[in-house]
């Protein structure tokens, strides 16, 4: 066995692997030091052009300018204190976004460090190989890549087979096999060929490679606001306008009552009443949602895809590799009555010699072990015409000296035999054996020699432990699970019953998948699915969340709106959980933000009019020292609570599978009630300190 070593320096290789697994600097758990590291970026974001993107915080920024000017014209400890903490509020809001972007920047820097100036060996029109910089490659160019060389750009293998080191992308050190003509022909620029020689057709323009897109996305440079985020921004803007009008109309009322309020007090009231907390954290929540996906080695092409994952109500899951381990192996041969087991074994072996799938190889191994037949094709057998498996025929086999040997789905083999060739007895025998195998949860493959049915090969698979519990959790969230499989309906139902899946689509073709997705969407459901082959591309494009496997074809990755770098089909469930967590986090912090305005109302309004309306003292439930200390304490709390909630916005509210009603009750109890109680305690504690400041207390 050959041991493959990473050619990078140990420190760089360790940093890269940590980055891809979410443990790099700036990724994973929140560190308080990130606040200090991101402070310069937060200060740069004080540019009014940046503040205009967030209407709520732009109002705070404008109020900070107004109060600062007022403090200059009429200086006082109170005015300067309010001005200072209003600027802190804006900076802290910028800090939340800067920390979120910084985490992505750390991952992008590690990815960028893996890119090198690569020399490509391009095949010219005259089939001569020329050396050119990788940046000169264009879509459609063919390049030769040999052992030890770096693949110069994204593409598909058109010739050859090789082992490839993809640790620069996935963080996994184990090499993978990539070959032409299948669903594992896609290669990524920046990965290294470890053995053999391949010819790659370039499919991406310079600067638009997969790694380039990853860097742009994890940096947040291409993050667009999602529909729900846009809707919430509009709502927050409307609330801001309402409170702005309320504060503007308050001054005439105050003048009529004989106590005009200073501009400083009015701005402080406005800033404390508008939803500054969620306005400050909204962008960070969206960036952190994509960051959590990157930590799971999933690349989302947009925040819209992450949000859609949170709203998904139907999951289409491949049986093989997702619900079961996917290593189906031949475990038994079942000959028809009157057929010798040796004849069935010989026919099954020859029909599987050119079948490179794990199932095909396992058939050859089974007959070699139990019947003593050779595992390798003889020179005579090598001259045969091999018939590869296709999704259309659902069969494979070999044509040798006028004999046609086939193995495949029972219904397909019976249809291939035709009514003239297959007797009623043979058909009944194949169907009976296949039904018995399927009822055990196995997969039957019928074998035929020309016009003669021989029997059935039994393939066995194992349902992954704990998958039934995962499906039960999804069911509590109102998510329907559908198993997609090429197995016959009986086998599919047996696996479905064992795994606890809600529905099943058996003997599925690409057209069947597409039709099912459209049917679910027509019922008002959002659909998520995974895929890796070109034949999955239409369904991936149609699905609301299409997770393409990184090991799959370029067509599949282009069609999906997410790419799983680990090529793990079970990751789809985790993707949905990340989307749910982002939506729950946004809802929880919105609830908290709106609720804590109530406490600030009790702090500021009584303080403003206590002198002319002594009866308002009853509303001063926190027993704040003076009107000035009450207003300043509310402004300080309004700023500090943003910093306090940054870790929660980045980490996300803890996700527990539950129904929508239960989640709503929990949010109202924890974040609604908490949003009322915490400000009362916080403002009271701050007032105990503020009242000691000369000119305030």
């Amino acid at each position: 066995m050959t041991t493959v070593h990473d050619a990078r320096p140990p420190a760089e290789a360790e940093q890269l692997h940590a980055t891809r697994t979410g443990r790099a600097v700036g990724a994973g758990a929140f560190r308080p030091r990130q606040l200090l590291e991101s402070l310069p970026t937060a200060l740069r974001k004080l540019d009014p052009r940046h503040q205009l993107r967030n209407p709520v915080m732009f109002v705070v920024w404008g109020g900070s300018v107004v109060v600062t000017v007022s403090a200059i014209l009429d200086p006082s400890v109170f005015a300067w204190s309010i001005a200072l903490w209003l600027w802190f509020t804006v900076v802290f809001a910028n800090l939340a976004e800067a920390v979120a972007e910084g985490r992505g920047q750390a991952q992008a820097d590690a990815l960028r460090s893996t890119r090198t100036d690569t020399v490509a060996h391009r095949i010219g029109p005259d089939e001569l190989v020329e050396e050119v910089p990788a940046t000169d490659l264009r879509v459609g160019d063919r390049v030769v890549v040999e052992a030890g060389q770096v693949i110069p750009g994204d593409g598909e293998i058109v010739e050859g087979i090789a082992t490839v080191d993809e640790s620069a992308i996935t963080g996994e050190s184990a090499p993978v096999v990539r070959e032409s003509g299948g669903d594992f022909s896609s290669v990524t620029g920046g990965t290294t060929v470890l053995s053999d020689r391949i010819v790659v057709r370039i499919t991406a323009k310079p600067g638009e490679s997969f790694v380039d897109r990853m860097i742009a996305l994890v940096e947040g440079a291409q993050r667009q606001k999602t529909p729900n985020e846009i809707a919430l921004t509009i709502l927050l803007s409307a609330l801001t306008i309402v409170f702005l009008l309320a504060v503007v109309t308050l001054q005439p009322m105050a003048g009529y009552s004989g106590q005009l309020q200073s501009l400083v007090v009015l701005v402080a009231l406005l800033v404390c009443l508008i939803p500054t907390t969620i306005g400050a954290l909204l962008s960070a929540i969206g960036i952190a949602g994509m960051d959590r996906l990157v930590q799971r080695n999933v690349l989302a092409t947009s925040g819209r895809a992450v949000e859609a994952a949170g709203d998904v109500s139907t999951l289409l899951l491949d049986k093989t590799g997702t619900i079961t381990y996917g290593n189906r192996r031949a475990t038994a041969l079942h000959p028809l009555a009157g057929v010798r087991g040796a004849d069935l074994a010989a026919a099954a072996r020859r029909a599987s010699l050119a079948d490179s799938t794990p199932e095909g190889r396992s058939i050859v191994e089974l007959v070699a072990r139990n019947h003593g037949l050779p595992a390798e094709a003889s020179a005579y057998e090598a001259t045969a015409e091999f018939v590869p498996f296709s999704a259309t025929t659902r069969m494979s086999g070999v044509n040798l000296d006028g004999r046609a040997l086939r193995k495949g789905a029972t219904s397909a083999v019976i249809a291939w035999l035709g009514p003239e060739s297959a007797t009623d007895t043979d058909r009944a025998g194949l169907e009976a054996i296949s039904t018995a195998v399927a009822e055990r949860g196995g997969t039957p493959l019928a074998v035929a020699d020309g016009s003669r049915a021989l029997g059935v090969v039994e393939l066995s698979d194992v349902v992954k432990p704990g998958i039934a519990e995962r499906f039960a959790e999804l069911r509590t969230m109102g998510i329907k699970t559908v198993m997609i499989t090429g197995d016959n309906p009986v086998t599919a139902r047996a696996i479905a019953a064992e795994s606890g899946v809600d529905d099943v689509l058996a003997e599925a073709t690409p057209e069947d998948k597409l039709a099912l997705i459209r049917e679910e969407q027509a019922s008002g459901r959002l659909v998520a699915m995974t895929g890796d082959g070109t034949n999955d591309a239409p369904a991936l494009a149609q699905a609301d969340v299409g997770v393409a496997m990184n090991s799959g074809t370029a067509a599949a990755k282009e069609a999906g709106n997410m790419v799983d770098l680990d090529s793990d089909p079970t990751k789809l469930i985790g993707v949905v959980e990340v989307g749910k967590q982002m939506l729950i986090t946004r809802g929880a912090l919105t609830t908290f933000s709106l609720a804590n305005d109530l406490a600030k109302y009790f702090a500021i309004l009584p303080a403003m009019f206590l002198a002319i309306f002594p009866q308002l003292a009853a509303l001063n439930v926190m027993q704040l020292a003076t009107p000035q200390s009450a207003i300043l304490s509310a402004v300080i709390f309004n700023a500090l609570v943003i910093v306090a909630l940054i870790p929660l916005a980045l980490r996300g509210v803890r996700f527990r599978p539950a129904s929508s009603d239960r989640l709503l009750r929990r949010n109202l109890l924890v974040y609604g009630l908490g949003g009322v109680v915490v400000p009362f305690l916080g403002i009271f504690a701050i007032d105990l300190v503020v009242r000691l400041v000369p000119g305030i207390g």
Side-chain angles (χ1 to χ4, degrees):
M1 182 177 67
T2 303
T3 302
V4 180
H5 297 281
D6 195 336
R8 300 181 189 86
E12 181 180 336
E14 182 179 353
Q15 169 71 12
L16 174 63
H17 180 69
T19 297
R20 300 304 319 128
T21 54
R23 294 188 298 271
V25 176
F30 172 81
R31 296 175 298 107
R33 185 179 176 184
Q34 291 174 343
L35 296 175
L36 185 61
E37 293 170 347
S38 301
L39 187 58
T41 303
L43 293 174
R44 287 194 296 269
K45 290 178 180 288
L46 288 174
D47 186 331
R49 291 170 297 182
H50 177 81
Q51 296 299 317
L52 271 171
R53 302 175 188 174
N54 188 332
V56 176
M57 297 314 302
F58 180 71
V59 170
V60 180
W61 181 90
S64 303
V65 172
V66 170
V67 173
T68 302
V69 172
S70 178
I72 294 173
L73 298 177
D74 185 15
S76 67
V77 174
F78 176 70
W80 277 111
S81 298
I82 294 293
L84 181 65
W85 279 101
L86 288 181
W87 283 114
F88 280 159
T89 303
V90 180
V91 171
F92 291 161
N94 294 340
L95 196 59
E97 185 177 62
V99 170
E101 291 174 350
R103 289 151 63 94
Q105 183 65 48
Q107 295 174 334
D109 290 342
L111 286 170
R112 193 176 283 111
S113 69
T114 68
R115 299 192 308 184
T116 57
D117 295 329
T118 307
V119 175
H121 298 81
R122 183 171 61 188
I123 302 175
D126 52 2
E127 296 300 314
L128 295 178
V129 178
E130 57 178 342
E131 290 189 357
V132 298
T135 53
D136 289 350
L137 294 176
R138 296 295 179 264
V139 175
D141 285 350
R142 292 181 302 146
V143 295
V144 176
V145 190
E146 298 182 345
Q149 296 179 347
V150 175
I151 297 173
D154 292 0
E156 286 191 306
I157 300 175
V158 295
E159 179 184 324
I161 181 173
T163 53
V164 180
D165 174 13
E166 295 187 341
S167 59
I169 304 299
T170 66
E172 297 297 332
S173 58
V176 296
V177 176
R178 294 287 178 261
E179 59 183 319
S180 62
D183 288 343
F184 298 94
S185 60
S186 177
V187 290
T188 305
T191 57
T192 304
V193 172
L194 300 179
S195 68
D196 303 293
R197 172 186 182 275
I198 54 176
V199 176
V200 177
R201 183 178 64 245
I202 300 299
T203 59
K205 298 177 182 178
E208 298 181 6
S209 69
F210 188 70
V211 173
D212 290 320
R213 284 186 290 155
M214 280 187 65
I215 291 171
L217 287 164
V218 299
E219 283 180 326
Q222 294 183 8
R223 194 188 84 87
Q224 297 178 342
K225 289 186 177 181
T226 64
N228 283 351
E229 190 175 347
I230 292 172
L232 183 55
T233 301
I234 294 173
L235 173 62
L236 298 180
S237 301
L239 289 175
T240 301
I241 293 173
V242 169
F243 284 120
L244 179 61
L245 294 175
V247 171
V248 168
T249 57
L250 191 63
Q251 185 70 324
M253 297 172 60
Y256 178 79
S257 301
Q259 189 175 355
L260 283 172
Q261 299 297 319
S262 69
L263 196 58
V264 173
V265 171
L266 292 174
V267 172
L269 174 64
L270 174 63
V271 170
C272 287
L273 292 186
I274 63 177
T276 51
T277 305
I278 186 59
L281 299 173
L282 189 57
S283 180
I285 293 170
I287 296 173
M290 296 188 69
D291 178 64
R292 283 193 291 275
L293 273 185
V294 172
Q295 292 175 31
R296 292 174 179 249
N297 269 8
V298 177
L299 173 64
T301 58
S302 69
R304 184 187 298 266
V306 185
E307 186 173 277
D311 286 329
V312 158
S313 49
T314 300
L315 285 184
L316 304 189
L317 303 165
D318 278 334
K319 185 202 79 171
T320 305
T322 305
I323 296 174
T324 65
Y325 280 111
N327 54 347
R328 293 186 305 177
R329 300 185 61 83
T331 54
L333 299 177
H334 304 286
L336 289 175
V339 176
R340 295 192 312 151
D343 293 339
L344 173 60
R349 170 186 168 275
R350 282 185 168 173
S352 304
L353 284 175
D355 187 349
S356 60
T357 64
E359 293 88 347
R361 291 195 297 269
S362 72
I363 293 174
V364 175
E365 293 170 2
L366 175 67
V367 298
R369 183 173 62 252
N370 293 350
H371 296 271
L373 298 177
E376 302 294 331
S378 64
Y380 165 68
E381 291 170 332
T383 63
E385 176 192 355
F386 293 106
V387 179
F389 175 85
S390 75
T392 304
T393 63
R394 295 186 292 129
M395 291 189 304
S396 63
V398 62
N399 296 328
L400 181 62
D401 286 344
R403 294 175 60 195
L405 302 173
R406 296 290 186 273
K407 76 173 194 308
T410 301
S411 59
V413 171
I414 291 176
W416 177 76
L417 288 169
E420 297 82 9
S421 301
T423 65
D424 291 341
T425 302
D426 287 345
R427 282 195 295 269
L430 285 177
E431 291 172 350
I433 296 173
S434 298
T435 300
V437 170
E439 288 175 347
R440 293 194 294 270
T443 300
L445 292 181
V447 180
D449 182 355
S451 60
R452 182 187 179 202
L454 298 178
V456 173
V457 178
E458 180 175 355
L459 302 177
S460 299
D461 202 352
V462 180
V463 173
K464 292 182 177 180
I467 198 73
E469 289 76 10
R470 296 293 297 276
F471 290 157
E473 292 176 352
L474 292 173
R475 199 173 296 113
T476 63
M477 295 186 289
I479 297 177
K480 173 185 176 184
T481 52
V482 181
M483 183 179 76
I484 307 295
T485 177
D487 289 339
N488 65 74
V490 177
T491 301
R493 285 195 294 270
I495 296 293
E498 184 178 354
S499 64
V501 74
D502 295 319
D503 202 354
V504 62
L505 179 63
E507 296 182 342
T509 64
E511 294 77 12
D512 293 334
K513 296 179 185 179
L514 189 58
L516 177 59
I517 292 174
R518 288 173 174 169
E519 180 183 338
E520 291 291 321
Q521 290 172 334
S523 302
R525 292 174 170 266
L526 295 187
V527 181
M529 72 161 290
T530 58
D532 58 7
T534 301
N535 60 352
D536 290 324
L540 286 170
Q542 181 68 35
D544 300 282
V545 179
V547 183
M549 301 294 102
N550 187 47
S551 62
T553 62
K557 289 193 280 189
E558 287 296 328
N561 50 22
M562 293 188 186
V563 178
D564 176 20
L565 304 180
D566 296 329
S567 300
D568 177 8
T570 61
K571 196 77 69 68
L572 181 60
I573 298 175
V575 167
V576 171
E577 290 177 349
V578 169
K580 291 280 187 188
Q581 185 181 38
M582 188 182 78
L583 294 180
I584 291 171
T585 301
R586 187 186 296 155
L589 293 184
T590 300
T591 302
F592 182 89
S593 177
L594 298 179
N596 69 25
D597 287 341
L598 180 62
K600 288 178 283 187
Y601 171 89
F602 276 93
I604 294 181
L605 284 184
M608 291 174 63
F609 299 104
L610 189 60
I612 58 174
F613 297 113
Q615 299 89 340
L616 290 177
L619 297 179
N620 186 16
V621 295
M622 290 175 275
Q623 297 300 305
L624 304 179
T626 66
Q628 289 162 318
S629 73
I631 294 170
L632 181 57
S633 297
V635 171
I636 293 175
F637 174 84
N638 195 58
L640 294 180
V641 75
I642 295 174
V643 181
L645 291 176
I646 288 177
L648 182 61
L650 299 181
R651 185 181 65 250
V653 174
R654 184 176 179 182
F655 173 76
R656 295 185 182 91
S659 64
S660 300
D661 292 345
R662 186 175 178 183
L663 287 174
L664 178 61
R665 288 196 299 269
R666 176 175 174 269
N667 274 358
L668 290 177
L669 178 63
V670 176
Y671 296 97
L673 183 59
V676 174
V677 174
V678 170
F680 275 94
L681 299 177
I683 292 173
F684 174 74
I686 293 171
D687 181 75
L688 294 178
V689 178
V690 167
R691 68 178 62 181
L692 302 177
V693 178
I696 301 296

